[in-house]
Amino acid sequence: RWAMALVHLKKFDEAIPAMETALALDPPLAVAERQELTFWLGLAQLQEQEYETSRATLAKFIGLFPAGAERLPSVVQQMPAAIRIPEA
């Protein structure tokens, strides 16, 4: 929540390490939370002009979804962000 608050405040330089810490938690976050944070991490990196890192993070985000996930109700239920990305 703290990381997302920093994103909403456009404090991307502070949000990036907060999101990285949250994504590294053990036990891990729920699937939907990991998806959401990975997406916003990529965008925050983009805003900070960390282009290669952002590209890798957003590729990882897309990789969180199996091919055709947006057409499978059970997958969409488990991974709600799947309906938002047509490449999934």
Side-chain angles (χ1 to χ4, degrees), residues 29-80:
L29 298 171
V31 172
E33 291 174 308
R34 282 196 317 269
Q35 293 168 341
E36 193 79 15
L37 274 183
T38 302
F39 174 77
W40 285 108
L41 175 59
L43 290 186
Q45 291 164 334
L46 184 64
Q47 289 295 321
E48 289 297 304
Q49 299 180 354
E50 298 175 13
Y51 301 119
E52 291 302 316
T53 306
S54 173
R55 181 182 176 99
T57 300
L58 293 172
K60 181 178 178 181
F61 169 73
I62 291 171
L64 293 173
F65 304 94
E70 75 281 1
R71 294 183 298 271
L72 301 171
S74 62
V75 172
V76 172
Q77 187 175 23
Q78 292 174 354
M79 298 182 262

Side-chain angles (χ1 to χ4, degrees), residues 6 10-18 44-45 47-48 50:
L6 292 169
K10 297 183 180 181
K11 294 185 175 187
F12 302 114
D13 60 326
E14 295 177 49
I16 290 170
Q45 291 164 334
Q47 289 295 321
E48 289 297 304
E50 298 175 13

